[in-house]
């Protein structure tokens, strides 16, 4: 039997935090580098001004993962705005636990994110993936995603907290 895909609820945040740490390991980032807290996930997802949407993949009754739980994947996304195109949905994480890969769970999560983005009037769905992740890049391409680095030479920049603080301190307006 297939997983069900359902919205994340506040009670699921603990498991989501665990899966966020797993995807960090998948990206060879130590789990200690994951700074988001359970409180932040609860407040930012379910507080007065929600900052993200999250959908989960839940195993059918009777099946569990090796931790004895039933949630084996998730997609977490936020809304961004393109001055050229308008509203976008940005998928920050799309993840399925390794032992459950190849069962079309990732595809169902991606389809859910696409459905949500259409329902919310977005014209694009975006995400970043490490360019050493050939399997994930092929997965995204197979489902219609375009590699913007290869196609349009876009490079991703990030201002970390130190750089951000320096810039902000220089602002005179
Ligand atoms: C990417 C990821 C979510 C895929 O999850 P999954 O559950 O194993 O994927 P699925 O079983 O749903 O994939 C099945 C579908 O994708 C296609 N697919 C899967 N891997 C593929 C690949 N390497 N190349 C081309 N197509 C692929 C299958 O053909 C199938 O599509 P179809 O029904 O049209 O035939 C999973 O590998 C993962 O969690 N990776 C680590 C996290 C990560 O890096 N995420 C960010 C990038 S997506």
């Amino acid at each position: 039997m297939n997983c069900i895909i359902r919205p994340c609820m506040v009670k699921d945040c603990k498991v989501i935090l665990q899966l966020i740490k797993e995807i960090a390991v998948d990206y060879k980032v130590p789990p200690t580098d994951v700074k988001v807290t359970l409180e932040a996930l609860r407040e930012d997802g379910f507080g007065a001004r929600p900052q993200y949407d999250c959908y989960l993949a839940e195993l059918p009754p009777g099946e569990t993962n090796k931790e004895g739980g039933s949630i084996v994947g998730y997609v977490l996304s936020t809304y961004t705005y393109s001055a050229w195109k308008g509203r976008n949905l940005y998928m920050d994480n799309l993840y399925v636990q390794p032992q459950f890969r190849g069962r079309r769970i990732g595809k169902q999560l991606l389809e859910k994110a696409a459905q949500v983005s259409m329902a919310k009037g977005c014209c694009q769905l975006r995400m970043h993936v490490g360019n050493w992740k050939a399997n994930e890049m092929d997965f995204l391409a197979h489902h219609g995603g375009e590699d913007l680095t290869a196609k349009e030479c876009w490079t991703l920049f990030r201002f970390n907290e130190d750089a951000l603080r320096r810039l902000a301190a220089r602002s005179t307006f």
Side-chain angles (χ1 to χ4, degrees), residues 23-65:
I23 199 175
V25 173
D26 210 274
Y27 269 83
K28 298 182 174 49
V29 172
T32 46
D33 279 14
V34 175
K35 300 296 183 202
V36 77
T37 62
L38 184 56
E39 293 66 38
L41 277 181
R42 286 178 174 151
E43 176 59 27
D44 294 344
F46 304 92
R49 296 190 62 196
Q51 302 290 317
Y52 67 83
D53 277 348
C54 184
Y55 287 84
L56 309 175
E58 187 163 37
L59 292 170
E63 206 180 342
T64 56
N65 60 13

Side-chain angles (χ1 to χ4, degrees), residues 87-149:
R87 268 181 235 166
N88 275 336
L89 190 68
Y90 176 78
M91 285 190 295
D92 196 61
N93 288 168
L94 171 63
Y95 177 71
V96 175
Q97 288 189 307
Q99 70 185 111
F100 295 98
R101 291 182 191 164
R103 284 175 49 167
R104 297 207 151 78
I105 299 171
K107 176 181 171 175
Q108 286 175 280
L109 287 166
L110 178 63
E111 288 170 349
K112 185 70 203 176
Q115 185 198 65
V116 168
S117 72
M118 289 272 87
K120 296 276 173 76
C122 299
C123 55
Q124 291 182 335
L125 180 62
R126 290 187 173 221
M127 86 171 307
H128 291 99
V129 60
N131 70 0
W132 64 93
K133 291 194 134 236
N135 182 55
E136 281 73 6
M137 289 177 70
D138 289 348
F139 169 89
L140 293 169
H142 176 82
H143 294 289
E146 292 177 311
D147 177 346
L148 289 188
T149 306

